[in-house]
Amino acid sequence: MYEILTVAKKEFMDNWRNKWIIAVSSIFMILTLVISYFGSLRSSGWQDLEATIGGMMSLVQLLVPIIALMLGYAAISGERERGSLMLMLSYPVTRLEVLIGKFLGLGAVLAVAESIGFGVAGGVIALNVTGVQWGDYLVFILSSILLGLVFIAVALLFSSIFKKRSTSLGGAIMLWFLFSMIWGIILSGIIIARYGFEVFTDPDWVGPTWYYAASIINPISAFSVLVSLNVTPVQTNVIRMPSFYTTPLMLLILLAWIVGSLLLAHVILNRQDL
Amino acid sequence: MISIKNLRKEYGTVTAVDGISFEVKRGEVFALLGPNGAGKTTTIKAILGLIQYEGDIFIDGMNARENEKRIKKMIGYLPEKVAFYDNLTALQTLQFYAELKGIHDADLPALLKEVNLERDANRKVGGFSKGMVQRLGLAQSLLGTPELLILDEPTTGLDALGAFEVRTKIRELSEQGNTILLSSHILSEVQELSHRVAILNKGSIVAIDTVENLSKKLDVQPKLRIELEHVSDEMVQQVSALDGVRDVTVEGNVIEAICPPNAKLSIIKTLEEAGGTVVDFKTVEPSLEEIFIKVVKDHV
């Protein structure tokens, strides 16, 4: 266990020393404040926390995955390229322990950065508005952290598959592009081809089960549904969701992404010669 | 201490190590000698579990595959290309590796002093010279006073002073009774530091013994070096004609010849009879280089 903690501590301290945590916290804080103050077309000045969460959804779906991928893409491949992975693995630490340690360390970096960034911004907003729903805000922050952990695990998988930092980075960007843009377009394209464009303007239209199932394979969509199911202000924006969209299922999908990515990374890394 | 049986490793179609077996005794400095690509580093990586391999490796009687963590706790390893984290200081670097090994009471400043880096303890490794990185590498390999030290090309890329310092440290460790597995392509280094040597070529062990025994077995004879007041062609011709004498060379007033031990007196006598006055003479024992060249040539 101490081996895992040692690796995790090093990852965390590296990002603390190189100011990553401060930089990312600042990005989250500033963007949240900007969204809250300038985010509404209907009124000027500070929006309440509930309205801010609605505006922050797009920000988190776009930004958290890419920050997580940037944090983790070189965690294994960078060390392998430099030669330090070989030295680390000559110590009494297994490849699985290195992977878990890196996951926990980088996960802590993102969790701390999100907590500080969103937390400080939430505090500033709360000082300027009334009737703050802290519970909803906390669920939103925790869900965002979970989304970040998914993409850190995926980044570690890419970092284990590819032997060079550059290819890991390429793979990570492709994946981000797939889940942020392509996935939705492909599914929508299939629906349009089969049912016509009109279905998207029909509020009573219920799509086929496979469409809803395929949507939530994408962890960004699973995160979005998770927040919609649990955060009051976002619920109002959701038009229709199938009955199998539940909080446990969304949590299961996100956790499956984490565990699956780490296990696959372990299998791949274990087979590799250093 | 180390027992390797039928170790074999292939990278694609290339056989890096071809079924080698050898043993390293406790307290011994054992060298793997061979040109680049001979299989030295692959053998070391197999011992450390860094690559998949066929065959069996036992460390202190334990199968390396089944006791990976226990075995790694016993080993200190200096890789050929030492790579640390540029953002960490020398002290932080040793702290990280000490924690990874589960050592919480290591006297890290003392360890840095051992490799003459005490003044650089709080400097970032990114600003270190290659020699300093190598010395820090040696320090990390000594964490927890390991029972077995594995040093892969420990002086490669170092300047003369750096190489001397590292060799001195290895000699000290050997004198303290450490078991050391050393890999090198520098013959003089192996000759100077090791008790026994395995000569590898193209993934196979072509010879294994002490340097002294190897020279005897391979009939690599000592060289006689005689300094005279003057050297004439007649002297060279007469010495060359003696039984068992070969490779006679002249440089200034010095004649060198390879000969069996019992021919030394005959050579001196012959030179004096031919009008020469011997000023000085000495026997130069065969170098590992000669053994190595002979073994590899024979193998080819």
Side-chain angles (χ1 to χ4, degrees), chain B residues 1-5 7 20-32 43-44 46-48 53 56-64 71 74-76 147-151 178-183 196 208:
Chain B
M1 185 81 193
I2 304 177
S3 177
I4 291 182
K5 292 175 181 172
L7 178 66
I20 64 170
S21 300
F22 65 89
E23 298 208 342
V24 179
K25 295 167 199 159
R26 190 174 283 275
E28 172 175 59
V29 180
F30 187 92
L32 296 173
T43 303
I44 286 174
I47 293 171
L48 291 162
Y53 59 86
D56 287 304
I57 297 172
F58 296 91
I59 308 289
D60 218 18
M62 293 181 285
N63 189 309
I71 284 171
M74 298 165 58
I75 296 176
E147 292 175 52
L148 171 63
L149 267 173
I150 298 179
L151 311 173
N178 289 287
T179 308
I180 301 173
L181 176 65
L182 175 77
S183 136
R196 283 197 308 142
I208 183 166

Side-chain angles (χ1 to χ4, degrees), chain B residues 117-154:
Chain B
L117 284 174
E118 69 272 28
R119 287 183 189 169
D120 305 290
N122 295 310
R123 269 184 64 196
K124 287 192 176 175
V125 176
F128 276 18
S129 69
K130 187 162 172 45
M132 290 165 82
V133 170
Q134 196 77 353
R135 276 185 280 146
L136 184 60
L138 196 59
Q140 68 75 31
S141 73
L142 298 174
L143 280 164
T145 51
E147 292 175 52
L148 171 63
L149 267 173
I150 298 179
L151 311 173
D152 192 1
E153 303 275 3

Side-chain angles (χ1 to χ4, degrees), chain A residues 57 60-61 65 139 142-144 146-148 150-151 179 183 187 211-230 234 238 241 244-258:
Chain A
M57 280 297 286
V60 168
Q61 288 176 46
V139 170
L142 291 175
S143 305
S144 306
L146 190 57
L147 178 67
V150 168
F151 278 88
F179 285 144
W183 194 273
L187 292 182
Y211 169 73
Y212 293 108
S215 293
I216 51 167
I217 290 172
N218 179 346
I220 297 176
S221 301
F223 157 78
S224 176
V225 173
L226 180 69
V227 175
S228 299
L229 288 170
N230 292 283
V234 183
V238 175
M241 281 197 290
F244 67 86
Y245 273 20
T246 59
T247 298
L249 180 66
M250 297 309 131
L251 287 174
L252 193 71
I253 289 169
L254 293 173
L255 289 174
W257 268 101
I258 293 173

Side-chain angles (χ1 to χ4, degrees), chain B:
Chain B
M1 185 81 193
I2 304 177
S3 177
I4 291 182
K5 292 175 181 172
N6 292 319
L7 178 66
R8 186 177 168 82
K9 176 66 189 173
E10 288 177 359
Y11 292 106
T13 55
V14 178
T15 304
V17 175
D18 195 5
I20 64 170
S21 300
F22 65 89
E23 298 208 342
V24 179
K25 295 167 199 159
R26 190 174 283 275
E28 172 175 59
V29 180
F30 187 92
L32 296 173
L33 175 71
N36 292 333
K40 307 183 297 289
T41 299
T42 302
T43 303
I44 286 174
K45 283 183 176 180
I47 293 171
L48 291 162
L50 298 172
I51 56 170
Q52 319 258 344
Y53 59 86
E54 292 170 45
D56 287 304
I57 297 172
F58 296 91
I59 308 289
D60 218 18
M62 293 181 285
N63 189 309
R65 279 199 190 92
E66 293 157 13
N67 301 277
E68 196 181 320
K69 282 185 102 171
R70 258 179 91 182
I71 284 171
K72 284 179 178 177
K73 277 199 173 181
M74 298 165 58
I75 296 176
Y77 169 53
L78 174 67
E80 182 180 358
K81 289 173 193 153
V82 193
F84 291 124
Y85 305 99
D86 290 352
N87 61 327
L88 297 187
T89 65
L91 200 58
Q92 286 168 339
T93 300
L94 289 187
Q95 253 157 7
F96 170 64
Y97 289 109
E99 282 176 29
L100 215 50
K101 216 169 187 176
I103 305 162
H104 303 289
D105 56 350
D107 187 352
L108 302 179
L111 198 52
L112 284 172
K113 196 175 178 186
E114 265 194 66
V115 293
N116 298 327
L117 284 174
E118 69 272 28
R119 287 183 189 169
D120 305 290
N122 295 310
R123 269 184 64 196
K124 287 192 176 175
V125 176
F128 276 18
S129 69
K130 187 162 172 45
M132 290 165 82
V133 170
Q134 196 77 353
R135 276 185 280 146
L136 184 60
L138 196 59
Q140 68 75 31
S141 73
L142 298 174
L143 280 164
T145 51
E147 292 175 52
L148 171 63
L149 267 173
I150 298 179
L151 311 173
D152 192 1
E153 303 275 3
T155 59
T156 297
L158 295 182
D159 57 23
L161 181 63
F164 172 76
E165 284 174 351
V166 170
R167 278 200 299 269
T168 305
K169 189 71 207 163
I170 294 171
R171 220 174 2 255
E172 273 175 37
L173 292 164
S174 166
E175 282 162 11
Q176 288 161 14
N178 289 287
T179 308
I180 301 173
L181 176 65
L182 175 77
S183 136
S184 181
H185 67 276
I186 304 168
L187 300 156
S188 57
E189 184 173 282
V190 170
Q191 187 163 19
E192 181 189 336
L193 297 172
S194 61
H195 298 125
R196 283 197 308 142
V197 56
I199 299 178
L200 275 88
N201 193 39
K202 294 179 182 170
S204 299
I205 292 180
V206 290
I208 183 166
D209 213 326
T210 60
V211 175
E212 194 185 357
N213 285 347
L214 280 174
S215 63
K216 276 182 198 159
K217 274 185 202 167
L218 296 163
D219 193 27
V220 182
Q221 293 169 332
K223 192 183 277 183
L224 188 62
R225 187 179 189 279
I226 308 158
E227 188 182 346
L228 299 140
E229 281 187 351
H230 73 280
V231 177
S232 67
D233 289 345
E234 190 193 348
M235 290 177 199
V236 177
Q237 279 168 12
Q238 287 188 14
V239 168
S240 300
L242 289 170
D243 266 357
V245 176
R246 60 185 170 85
D247 296 343
V248 179
T249 57
V250 180
E251 196 176 330
N253 287 339
V254 175
I255 290 182
E256 284 187 347
I258 291 174
C259 63
N262 58 8
K264 288 179 196 170
L265 281 176
S266 308
I267 292 173
I268 291 167
K269 200 174 165 188
T270 304
L271 286 170
E272 284 179 337
E273 282 172 2
T277 307
V278 175
V279 177
D280 192 14
F281 73 94
K282 66 175 176 183
T283 305
V284 182
E285 288 304 320
S287 71
L288 193 54
E289 187 171 0
E290 287 163 287
I291 296 168
F292 180 76
I293 290 166
K294 185 168 170 50
V295 163
V296 172
K297 266 186 185 170
D298 289 353
H299 183 64
V300 170

Side-chain angles (χ1 to χ4, degrees), chain A residues 12-47:
Chain A
F12 186 84
M13 290 310 293
D14 280 353
N15 285 288
W16 178 259
R17 289 188 195 103
N18 68 17
K19 314 280 192 292
W20 241 89
I21 292 176
I22 294 169
V24 175
S25 303
S26 305
I27 290 170
F28 285 136
M29 186 182 68
I30 291 166
L31 289 176
T32 305
L33 292 173
V34 167
I35 285 168
S36 179
Y37 196 78
F38 299 106
S40 174
L41 295 172
R42 286 169 292 185
S43 59
S44 61
W46 294 104
Q47 309 302 306

